[in-house]
Amino acid sequence: MNHARPWPTLVVSSALTLVCAVAAGVAGSAAGTELTRGPSASELRAAATREVAQRWRAWPAGRVFPAALPYAAEQGGQERAERIGISPHTGCGAESVDAKAVRTLREAGCRGVLRATYIDALRGVLVTVGVVALPDESRAVRARSAFADNGKPVPGLRPLSFTGTVAERFTPSMRQAGSVRQAGPYVVLTTAGQVDGRPATTPGESRPAIFAFAAELSERVLLDLSTPRMPDCAAEGWRC
């Protein structure tokens, strides 16, 4: 008769079973925690960055280019520039910017160029505002280098005219001033000229001060597009 006591083996076996069960429970708990936890701060920041980069395409055109944009008047106070129209075309080619800038934009990964034309409160100056969308901030910095940063309109944004409006004669030859600004994955450009169609080469007609507000318009558009908004997982439109 075998009097060997089997319980130590059973105890060890039971202990190993318990350890495995505990390990599986811990793993399951970790997996469950990972699946049910809220997003981390870094994940929220990454989501906010992605959302900013998609605004040019996700926002309605009227949100990118509001019907009116405020600016500081020369004589003090605040005026409003009114939007005349928005281009339906979003290509990164020579229809939107000067040919000299096209290659740089494409090499930087240009996703699209949006344009809209505004007129100042005194109805004497036209401004086309252009939004160049890039994949990220570093490529936006590279794209900015393609444009004049000294107030000159060339190389820069091509003006956007509309037949049957005061902007009908807004052609490249009448550009008298330009600006370029960059933040996040966006470069925002302006090109400006006078309503009466006078060319930039008209002797004695250079009045850079009357075009200064154009850069302010671009800064307002750029601020709205490039300012991150942290995701709100409880709000409509966010999926966390």
Short mmCIF file of all heavy atoms in Angstrom, two decimals, residues 31-97:
data_model
loop_
_atom_site.label_atom_id
_atom_site.label_comp_id
_atom_site.label_asym_id
_atom_site.label_seq_id
_atom_site.Cartn_x
_atom_site.Cartn_y
_atom_site.Cartn_z
N ALA A 31 -5.86 45.19 -19.60
CA ALA A 31 -6.45 45.38 -20.92
C ALA A 31 -7.77 46.14 -20.82
O ALA A 31 -8.06 47.03 -21.61
CB ALA A 31 -6.68 44.02 -21.58
N GLY A 32 -8.55 45.77 -19.80
CA GLY A 32 -9.82 46.48 -19.61
C GLY A 32 -9.61 47.93 -19.29
O GLY A 32 -10.32 48.81 -19.78
N THR A 33 -8.59 48.19 -18.44
CA THR A 33 -8.29 49.58 -18.08
C THR A 33 -7.86 50.37 -19.30
O THR A 33 -8.25 51.51 -19.50
CB THR A 33 -7.16 49.62 -17.02
OG1 THR A 33 -7.59 48.90 -15.87
CG2 THR A 33 -6.81 51.05 -16.63
N GLU A 34 -7.02 49.72 -20.15
CA GLU A 34 -6.55 50.38 -21.37
C GLU A 34 -7.70 50.72 -22.31
O GLU A 34 -7.73 51.77 -22.96
CB GLU A 34 -5.54 49.48 -22.09
CG GLU A 34 -4.93 50.08 -23.36
CD GLU A 34 -4.09 51.30 -23.10
OE1 GLU A 34 -3.61 51.48 -21.96
OE2 GLU A 34 -3.91 52.09 -24.04
N LEU A 35 -8.68 49.80 -22.36
CA LEU A 35 -9.81 50.01 -23.26
C LEU A 35 -10.81 51.03 -22.73
O LEU A 35 -11.50 51.68 -23.50
CB LEU A 35 -10.54 48.67 -23.50
CG LEU A 35 -9.79 47.64 -24.36
CD1 LEU A 35 -10.53 46.31 -24.33
CD2 LEU A 35 -9.62 48.13 -25.79
N THR A 36 -10.87 51.13 -21.41
CA THR A 36 -11.91 52.00 -20.83
C THR A 36 -11.38 53.33 -20.30
O THR A 36 -12.16 54.21 -19.98
CB THR A 36 -12.63 51.26 -19.69
OG1 THR A 36 -11.66 50.88 -18.69
CG2 THR A 36 -13.34 50.02 -20.20
N ARG A 37 -10.05 53.47 -20.20
CA ARG A 37 -9.52 54.73 -19.67
C ARG A 37 -9.78 55.88 -20.62
O ARG A 37 -9.94 55.69 -21.84
CB ARG A 37 -8.01 54.60 -19.42
CG ARG A 37 -7.19 54.56 -20.73
CD ARG A 37 -5.71 54.68 -20.46
NE ARG A 37 -4.92 54.53 -21.67
CZ ARG A 37 -4.71 55.49 -22.55
NH1 ARG A 37 -5.25 56.69 -22.36
NH2 ARG A 37 -3.97 55.28 -23.63
N GLY A 38 -9.77 57.07 -20.12
CA GLY A 38 -9.90 58.25 -20.96
C GLY A 38 -8.59 58.54 -21.66
O GLY A 38 -7.55 57.98 -21.31
N PRO A 39 -8.60 59.40 -22.69
CA PRO A 39 -7.36 59.73 -23.40
C PRO A 39 -6.39 60.50 -22.51
O PRO A 39 -6.80 61.27 -21.64
CB PRO A 39 -7.85 60.61 -24.57
CG PRO A 39 -9.17 61.14 -24.11
CD PRO A 39 -9.77 60.11 -23.24
N SER A 40 -5.09 60.26 -22.73
CA SER A 40 -4.06 60.95 -21.96
C SER A 40 -3.90 62.38 -22.50
O SER A 40 -4.41 62.72 -23.57
CB SER A 40 -2.73 60.21 -22.08
OG SER A 40 -2.26 60.26 -23.41
N ALA A 41 -3.15 63.18 -21.75
CA ALA A 41 -2.91 64.56 -22.17
C ALA A 41 -2.20 64.63 -23.51
O ALA A 41 -2.53 65.46 -24.37
CB ALA A 41 -2.09 65.30 -21.10
N SER A 42 -1.22 63.72 -23.71
CA SER A 42 -0.48 63.73 -24.99
C SER A 42 -1.38 63.30 -26.14
O SER A 42 -1.28 63.82 -27.25
CB SER A 42 0.75 62.82 -24.91
OG SER A 42 0.36 61.48 -24.67
N GLU A 43 -2.28 62.36 -25.88
CA GLU A 43 -3.22 61.93 -26.91
C GLU A 43 -4.20 63.05 -27.27
O GLU A 43 -4.56 63.23 -28.43
CB GLU A 43 -3.97 60.68 -26.45
CG GLU A 43 -3.10 59.44 -26.43
CD GLU A 43 -3.76 58.25 -25.74
OE1 GLU A 43 -4.69 58.47 -24.93
OE2 GLU A 43 -3.35 57.11 -26.02
N LEU A 44 -4.62 63.80 -26.25
CA LEU A 44 -5.52 64.93 -26.51
C LEU A 44 -4.82 66.00 -27.34
O LEU A 44 -5.42 66.58 -28.26
CB LEU A 44 -6.02 65.53 -25.18
CG LEU A 44 -7.02 64.68 -24.40
CD1 LEU A 44 -7.30 65.31 -23.04
CD2 LEU A 44 -8.32 64.51 -25.17
N ARG A 45 -3.55 66.26 -27.01
CA ARG A 45 -2.80 67.27 -27.79
C ARG A 45 -2.62 66.82 -29.23
O ARG A 45 -2.74 67.62 -30.17
CB ARG A 45 -1.43 67.53 -27.13
CG ARG A 45 -1.50 68.37 -25.86
CD ARG A 45 -0.12 68.84 -25.45
NE ARG A 45 0.75 67.73 -25.10
CZ ARG A 45 0.85 67.21 -23.88
NH1 ARG A 45 0.10 67.70 -22.90
NH2 ARG A 45 1.68 66.22 -23.63
N ALA A 46 -2.33 65.53 -29.42
CA ALA A 46 -2.17 65.00 -30.78
C ALA A 46 -3.48 65.11 -31.56
O ALA A 46 -3.49 65.45 -32.75
CB ALA A 46 -1.70 63.55 -30.72
N ALA A 47 -4.60 64.83 -30.89
CA ALA A 47 -5.90 64.94 -31.54
C ALA A 47 -6.20 66.38 -31.92
O ALA A 47 -6.75 66.67 -32.99
CB ALA A 47 -6.99 64.40 -30.63
N ALA A 48 -5.83 67.31 -31.03
CA ALA A 48 -6.06 68.73 -31.30
C ALA A 48 -5.22 69.19 -32.50
O ALA A 48 -5.70 69.95 -33.35
CB ALA A 48 -5.71 69.56 -30.07
N THR A 49 -3.99 68.69 -32.59
CA THR A 49 -3.12 69.04 -33.72
C THR A 49 -3.69 68.51 -35.03
O THR A 49 -3.69 69.21 -36.05
CB THR A 49 -1.70 68.46 -33.49
OG1 THR A 49 -1.15 69.03 -32.30
CG2 THR A 49 -0.79 68.77 -34.67
N ARG A 50 -4.19 67.28 -35.00
CA ARG A 50 -4.80 66.71 -36.22
C ARG A 50 -6.04 67.49 -36.63
O ARG A 50 -6.28 67.71 -37.82
CB ARG A 50 -5.15 65.23 -35.99
CG ARG A 50 -3.94 64.31 -35.92
CD ARG A 50 -4.36 62.85 -36.04
NE ARG A 50 -5.22 62.46 -34.93
CZ ARG A 50 -4.80 61.96 -33.77
NH1 ARG A 50 -3.50 61.82 -33.56
NH2 ARG A 50 -5.65 61.60 -32.84
N GLU A 51 -6.82 67.91 -35.65
CA GLU A 51 -8.04 68.65 -35.96
C GLU A 51 -7.72 69.99 -36.61
O GLU A 51 -8.37 70.41 -37.57
CB GLU A 51 -8.86 68.86 -34.66
CG GLU A 51 -10.24 69.43 -34.88
CD GLU A 51 -10.29 70.95 -34.86
OE1 GLU A 51 -9.41 71.56 -34.21
OE2 GLU A 51 -11.19 71.53 -35.48
N VAL A 52 -6.68 70.66 -36.12
CA VAL A 52 -6.26 71.94 -36.70
C VAL A 52 -5.86 71.75 -38.16
O VAL A 52 -6.25 72.53 -39.04
CB VAL A 52 -5.08 72.55 -35.90
CG1 VAL A 52 -4.40 73.68 -36.69
CG2 VAL A 52 -5.57 73.08 -34.56
N ALA A 53 -5.10 70.69 -38.44
CA ALA A 53 -4.61 70.44 -39.80
C ALA A 53 -5.73 70.13 -40.78
O ALA A 53 -5.55 70.28 -42.00
CB ALA A 53 -3.60 69.29 -39.79
N GLN A 54 -6.90 69.72 -40.28
CA GLN A 54 -8.02 69.38 -41.16
C GLN A 54 -9.02 70.52 -41.33
O GLN A 54 -9.96 70.40 -42.12
CB GLN A 54 -8.76 68.16 -40.60
CG GLN A 54 -7.95 66.87 -40.63
CD GLN A 54 -7.55 66.47 -42.04
OE1 GLN A 54 -8.31 66.59 -42.99
NE2 GLN A 54 -6.31 65.99 -42.19
N ARG A 55 -8.85 71.62 -40.61
CA ARG A 55 -9.85 72.68 -40.64
C ARG A 55 -10.08 73.27 -42.02
O ARG A 55 -11.20 73.61 -42.38
CB ARG A 55 -9.46 73.80 -39.65
CG ARG A 55 -9.67 73.42 -38.20
CD ARG A 55 -9.21 74.51 -37.26
NE ARG A 55 -9.39 74.09 -35.88
CZ ARG A 55 -8.94 74.79 -34.84
NH1 ARG A 55 -8.28 75.93 -35.03
NH2 ARG A 55 -9.14 74.34 -33.60
N TRP A 56 -9.02 73.42 -42.79
CA TRP A 56 -9.17 74.03 -44.11
C TRP A 56 -10.15 73.26 -44.98
O TRP A 56 -10.82 73.81 -45.85
CB TRP A 56 -7.81 74.13 -44.81
CG TRP A 56 -7.28 72.82 -45.29
CD1 TRP A 56 -6.60 71.88 -44.56
CD2 TRP A 56 -7.40 72.27 -46.60
NE1 TRP A 56 -6.29 70.79 -45.33
CE2 TRP A 56 -6.76 70.99 -46.60
CE3 TRP A 56 -7.98 72.71 -47.79
CZ2 TRP A 56 -6.69 70.18 -47.72
CZ3 TRP A 56 -7.91 71.90 -48.92
CH2 TRP A 56 -7.27 70.67 -48.87
N ARG A 57 -10.25 71.93 -44.72
CA ARG A 57 -11.11 71.07 -45.52
C ARG A 57 -12.43 70.78 -44.80
O ARG A 57 -13.47 70.62 -45.45
CB ARG A 57 -10.37 69.76 -45.80
CG ARG A 57 -11.11 68.79 -46.68
CD ARG A 57 -10.17 67.75 -47.27
NE ARG A 57 -9.22 67.22 -46.30
CZ ARG A 57 -8.12 66.57 -46.62
NH1 ARG A 57 -7.81 66.40 -47.90
NH2 ARG A 57 -7.31 66.10 -45.70
N ALA A 58 -12.40 70.72 -43.47
CA ALA A 58 -13.59 70.34 -42.70
C ALA A 58 -14.53 71.51 -42.44
O ALA A 58 -15.74 71.33 -42.36
CB ALA A 58 -13.16 69.71 -41.38
N TRP A 59 -13.98 72.72 -42.31
CA TRP A 59 -14.82 73.88 -42.01
C TRP A 59 -15.57 74.35 -43.26
O TRP A 59 -15.02 74.29 -44.37
CB TRP A 59 -13.98 75.03 -41.50
CG TRP A 59 -13.56 74.89 -40.06
CD1 TRP A 59 -13.73 73.81 -39.25
CD2 TRP A 59 -12.88 75.88 -39.29
NE1 TRP A 59 -13.19 74.08 -38.02
CE2 TRP A 59 -12.68 75.33 -38.01
CE3 TRP A 59 -12.42 77.18 -39.57
CZ2 TRP A 59 -12.03 76.04 -36.99
CZ3 TRP A 59 -11.79 77.88 -38.57
CH2 TRP A 59 -11.60 77.32 -37.28
N PRO A 60 -16.77 74.88 -43.10
CA PRO A 60 -17.46 75.51 -44.24
C PRO A 60 -16.63 76.71 -44.72
O PRO A 60 -15.92 77.35 -43.94
CB PRO A 60 -18.79 75.98 -43.64
CG PRO A 60 -18.96 75.19 -42.38
CD PRO A 60 -17.58 74.91 -41.87
N ALA A 61 -16.73 77.01 -46.01
CA ALA A 61 -15.96 78.12 -46.59
C ALA A 61 -16.22 79.43 -45.86
O ALA A 61 -15.32 80.25 -45.65
CB ALA A 61 -16.28 78.26 -48.07
N GLY A 62 -17.47 79.63 -45.44
CA GLY A 62 -17.82 80.86 -44.75
C GLY A 62 -17.27 80.97 -43.36
O GLY A 62 -17.28 82.05 -42.77
N ARG A 63 -16.78 79.87 -42.81
CA ARG A 63 -16.12 79.93 -41.51
C ARG A 63 -14.64 80.26 -41.68
O ARG A 63 -14.06 80.99 -40.88
CB ARG A 63 -16.29 78.60 -40.77
CG ARG A 63 -15.72 78.63 -39.37
CD ARG A 63 -16.05 77.35 -38.59
NE ARG A 63 -15.48 77.40 -37.26
CZ ARG A 63 -15.54 76.41 -36.37
NH1 ARG A 63 -16.18 75.28 -36.71
NH2 ARG A 63 -14.99 76.52 -35.18
N VAL A 64 -14.04 79.71 -42.72
CA VAL A 64 -12.64 80.06 -43.01
C VAL A 64 -12.55 81.54 -43.40
O VAL A 64 -11.67 82.27 -42.92
CB VAL A 64 -12.09 79.19 -44.16
CG1 VAL A 64 -10.67 79.61 -44.52
CG2 VAL A 64 -12.13 77.72 -43.79
N PHE A 65 -13.49 81.98 -44.25
CA PHE A 65 -13.53 83.37 -44.71
C PHE A 65 -14.88 83.97 -44.31
O PHE A 65 -15.86 83.87 -45.05
CB PHE A 65 -13.38 83.43 -46.24
CG PHE A 65 -12.08 82.89 -46.76
CD1 PHE A 65 -12.05 81.81 -47.64
CD2 PHE A 65 -10.87 83.47 -46.41
CE1 PHE A 65 -10.86 81.32 -48.15
CE2 PHE A 65 -9.67 82.99 -46.91
CZ PHE A 65 -9.66 81.91 -47.78
N PRO A 66 -14.95 84.59 -43.14
CA PRO A 66 -16.22 85.18 -42.70
C PRO A 66 -16.72 86.26 -43.65
O PRO A 66 -15.94 86.85 -44.41
CB PRO A 66 -15.86 85.78 -41.33
CG PRO A 66 -14.65 85.02 -40.89
CD PRO A 66 -13.89 84.71 -42.14
N ALA A 67 -18.02 86.53 -43.61
CA ALA A 67 -18.63 87.53 -44.48
C ALA A 67 -18.03 88.92 -44.25
O ALA A 67 -18.00 89.75 -45.16
CB ALA A 67 -20.14 87.56 -44.28
N ALA A 68 -17.55 89.18 -43.04
CA ALA A 68 -16.91 90.46 -42.73
C ALA A 68 -15.76 90.22 -41.76
O ALA A 68 -15.86 89.35 -40.89
CB ALA A 68 -17.91 91.43 -42.13
N LEU A 69 -14.68 90.98 -41.94
CA LEU A 69 -13.53 90.88 -41.05
C LEU A 69 -13.20 92.27 -40.51
O LEU A 69 -13.04 93.22 -41.28
CB LEU A 69 -12.31 90.34 -41.81
CG LEU A 69 -12.32 88.85 -42.14
CD1 LEU A 69 -11.16 88.52 -43.08
CD2 LEU A 69 -12.21 88.01 -40.87
N PRO A 70 -13.09 92.44 -39.19
CA PRO A 70 -12.76 93.75 -38.62
C PRO A 70 -11.28 94.06 -38.77
O PRO A 70 -10.43 93.17 -38.83
CB PRO A 70 -13.14 93.57 -37.14
CG PRO A 70 -12.98 92.11 -36.88
CD PRO A 70 -13.33 91.41 -38.16
N TYR A 71 -10.99 95.35 -38.82
CA TYR A 71 -9.60 95.81 -38.86
C TYR A 71 -9.53 97.22 -38.31
O TYR A 71 -10.54 97.93 -38.24
CB TYR A 71 -9.04 95.76 -40.29
CG TYR A 71 -9.72 96.71 -41.27
CD1 TYR A 71 -9.23 98.01 -41.47
CD2 TYR A 71 -10.84 96.33 -42.00
CE1 TYR A 71 -9.85 98.88 -42.37
CE2 TYR A 71 -11.46 97.18 -42.89
CZ TYR A 71 -10.96 98.45 -43.07
OH TYR A 71 -11.58 99.32 -43.96
N ALA A 72 -8.33 97.63 -37.91
CA ALA A 72 -8.13 98.97 -37.35
C ALA A 72 -8.05 99.99 -38.49
O ALA A 72 -7.24 99.83 -39.41
CB ALA A 72 -6.86 99.00 -36.52
N ALA A 73 -8.88 101.03 -38.42
CA ALA A 73 -8.89 102.07 -39.46
C ALA A 73 -7.68 103.00 -39.30
O ALA A 73 -7.16 103.19 -38.19
CB ALA A 73 -10.18 102.87 -39.37
N GLU A 74 -7.23 103.58 -40.42
CA GLU A 74 -6.10 104.51 -40.39
C GLU A 74 -6.34 105.67 -39.44
O GLU A 74 -5.45 106.11 -38.72
CB GLU A 74 -5.85 105.07 -41.80
CG GLU A 74 -5.00 104.21 -42.69
CD GLU A 74 -4.66 104.95 -43.97
OE1 GLU A 74 -5.44 104.89 -44.94
OE2 GLU A 74 -3.59 105.61 -43.98
N GLN A 75 -7.57 106.18 -39.45
CA GLN A 75 -7.89 107.35 -38.64
C GLN A 75 -8.32 107.00 -37.23
O GLN A 75 -8.72 107.86 -36.46
CB GLN A 75 -9.01 108.17 -39.34
CG GLN A 75 -10.35 107.45 -39.43
CD GLN A 75 -10.45 106.54 -40.64
OE1 GLN A 75 -9.44 106.16 -41.23
NE2 GLN A 75 -11.67 106.18 -41.01
N GLY A 76 -8.20 105.73 -36.88
CA GLY A 76 -8.60 105.29 -35.55
C GLY A 76 -9.95 104.59 -35.59
O GLY A 76 -10.72 104.77 -36.53
N GLY A 77 -10.24 103.83 -34.57
CA GLY A 77 -11.49 103.10 -34.56
C GLY A 77 -11.37 101.80 -35.33
O GLY A 77 -10.28 101.38 -35.74
N GLN A 78 -12.50 101.17 -35.52
CA GLN A 78 -12.50 99.88 -36.22
C GLN A 78 -13.46 99.89 -37.40
O GLN A 78 -14.54 100.46 -37.33
CB GLN A 78 -12.90 98.77 -35.24
CG GLN A 78 -12.58 97.38 -35.74
CD GLN A 78 -12.77 96.32 -34.67
OE1 GLN A 78 -13.89 95.91 -34.38
NE2 GLN A 78 -11.68 95.85 -34.08
N GLU A 79 -13.00 99.28 -38.48
CA GLU A 79 -13.82 99.16 -39.68
C GLU A 79 -14.02 97.67 -39.98
O GLU A 79 -13.42 96.81 -39.33
CB GLU A 79 -13.13 99.84 -40.87
CG GLU A 79 -12.85 101.32 -40.68
CD GLU A 79 -14.09 102.19 -40.87
OE1 GLU A 79 -15.21 101.64 -41.01
OE2 GLU A 79 -13.94 103.42 -40.89
N ARG A 80 -14.81 97.41 -41.01
CA ARG A 80 -15.04 96.02 -41.40
C ARG A 80 -14.88 95.87 -42.92
O ARG A 80 -15.47 96.63 -43.69
CB ARG A 80 -16.46 95.58 -40.99
CG ARG A 80 -16.63 95.49 -39.49
CD ARG A 80 -18.09 95.33 -39.11
NE ARG A 80 -18.62 94.02 -39.46
CZ ARG A 80 -18.47 92.94 -38.71
NH1 ARG A 80 -17.81 93.00 -37.57
NH2 ARG A 80 -18.99 91.78 -39.09
N ALA A 81 -14.07 94.90 -43.30
CA ALA A 81 -13.93 94.58 -44.71
C ALA A 81 -15.00 93.54 -45.06
O ALA A 81 -15.22 92.59 -44.31
CB ALA A 81 -12.54 94.00 -44.98
N GLU A 82 -15.67 93.74 -46.19
CA GLU A 82 -16.74 92.83 -46.59
C GLU A 82 -16.25 91.85 -47.65
O GLU A 82 -15.53 92.22 -48.58
CB GLU A 82 -17.93 93.62 -47.14
CG GLU A 82 -18.59 94.51 -46.11
CD GLU A 82 -19.78 95.27 -46.69
OE1 GLU A 82 -20.12 95.04 -47.88
OE2 GLU A 82 -20.35 96.09 -45.97
N ARG A 83 -16.68 90.63 -47.52
CA ARG A 83 -16.29 89.61 -48.49
C ARG A 83 -17.11 89.75 -49.78
O ARG A 83 -18.32 89.88 -49.74
CB ARG A 83 -16.54 88.22 -47.88
CG ARG A 83 -15.97 87.06 -48.70
CD ARG A 83 -16.42 85.73 -48.11
NE ARG A 83 -17.86 85.53 -48.29
CZ ARG A 83 -18.65 84.92 -47.41
NH1 ARG A 83 -18.16 84.45 -46.27
NH2 ARG A 83 -19.94 84.78 -47.66
N ILE A 84 -16.41 89.72 -50.90
CA ILE A 84 -17.07 89.78 -52.22
C ILE A 84 -17.36 88.37 -52.73
O ILE A 84 -18.41 88.11 -53.31
CB ILE A 84 -16.20 90.56 -53.22
CG1 ILE A 84 -16.08 92.02 -52.77
CG2 ILE A 84 -16.77 90.47 -54.63
CD1 ILE A 84 -15.11 92.83 -53.58
N GLY A 85 -16.41 87.47 -52.55
CA GLY A 85 -16.62 86.11 -53.03
C GLY A 85 -15.50 85.17 -52.63
O GLY A 85 -14.43 85.61 -52.18
N ILE A 86 -15.77 83.88 -52.77
CA ILE A 86 -14.81 82.82 -52.44
C ILE A 86 -14.60 81.96 -53.68
O ILE A 86 -15.56 81.59 -54.35
CB ILE A 86 -15.33 81.94 -51.28
CG1 ILE A 86 -15.58 82.79 -50.02
CG2 ILE A 86 -14.36 80.80 -50.98
CD1 ILE A 86 -16.26 82.03 -48.90
N SER A 87 -13.37 81.62 -53.96
CA SER A 87 -13.08 80.76 -55.10
C SER A 87 -13.49 79.32 -54.82
O SER A 87 -13.23 78.79 -53.73
CB SER A 87 -11.59 80.80 -55.43
OG SER A 87 -11.28 79.86 -56.44
N PRO A 88 -14.08 78.64 -55.81
CA PRO A 88 -14.41 77.22 -55.63
C PRO A 88 -13.20 76.31 -55.88
O PRO A 88 -13.26 75.11 -55.63
CB PRO A 88 -15.49 76.99 -56.69
CG PRO A 88 -15.15 77.95 -57.79
CD PRO A 88 -14.59 79.17 -57.10
N HIS A 89 -12.11 76.89 -56.38
CA HIS A 89 -10.92 76.11 -56.73
C HIS A 89 -9.92 76.09 -55.57
O HIS A 89 -9.72 77.10 -54.90
CB HIS A 89 -10.26 76.68 -57.98
CG HIS A 89 -11.21 76.80 -59.14
ND1 HIS A 89 -11.77 75.70 -59.76
CD2 HIS A 89 -11.72 77.90 -59.77
CE1 HIS A 89 -12.58 76.11 -60.72
NE2 HIS A 89 -12.56 77.43 -60.76
N THR A 90 -9.30 74.94 -55.34
CA THR A 90 -8.36 74.82 -54.22
C THR A 90 -6.99 74.28 -54.64
O THR A 90 -6.22 73.81 -53.81
CB THR A 90 -8.95 73.88 -53.15
OG1 THR A 90 -9.13 72.57 -53.72
CG2 THR A 90 -10.27 74.40 -52.62
N GLY A 91 -6.68 74.36 -55.93
CA GLY A 91 -5.41 73.84 -56.41
C GLY A 91 -4.21 74.62 -55.91
O GLY A 91 -4.30 75.80 -55.57
N CYS A 92 -3.06 73.94 -55.89
CA CYS A 92 -1.80 74.57 -55.43
C CYS A 92 -0.97 75.11 -56.59
O CYS A 92 0.22 75.40 -56.43
CB CYS A 92 -0.98 73.55 -54.66
SG CYS A 92 -1.76 72.95 -53.15
N GLY A 93 -1.57 75.24 -57.78
CA GLY A 93 -0.83 75.64 -58.96
C GLY A 93 -0.82 77.12 -59.24
O GLY A 93 -1.17 77.95 -58.39
N ALA A 94 -0.46 77.45 -60.49
CA ALA A 94 -0.28 78.85 -60.90
C ALA A 94 -1.58 79.63 -60.99
O ALA A 94 -1.55 80.84 -61.18
CB ALA A 94 0.46 78.90 -62.23
N GLU A 95 -2.72 78.98 -60.86
CA GLU A 95 -3.98 79.72 -60.83
C GLU A 95 -4.17 80.41 -59.48
O GLU A 95 -4.95 81.35 -59.37
CB GLU A 95 -5.17 78.78 -61.10
CG GLU A 95 -5.54 77.82 -59.98
CD GLU A 95 -4.63 76.62 -59.89
OE1 GLU A 95 -3.73 76.47 -60.74
OE2 GLU A 95 -4.83 75.79 -58.96
N SER A 96 -3.42 79.96 -58.47
CA SER A 96 -3.58 80.51 -57.12
C SER A 96 -2.39 81.36 -56.67
O SER A 96 -2.57 82.35 -55.98
CB SER A 96 -3.78 79.36 -56.11
OG SER A 96 -4.94 78.62 -56.40
N VAL A 97 -1.19 80.94 -57.03
CA VAL A 97 0.01 81.67 -56.61
C VAL A 97 0.90 81.88 -57.83
O VAL A 97 0.74 81.23 -58.86
CB VAL A 97 0.79 80.90 -55.52
CG1 VAL A 97 -0.07 80.73 -54.27
CG2 VAL A 97 1.26 79.54 -56.03
#
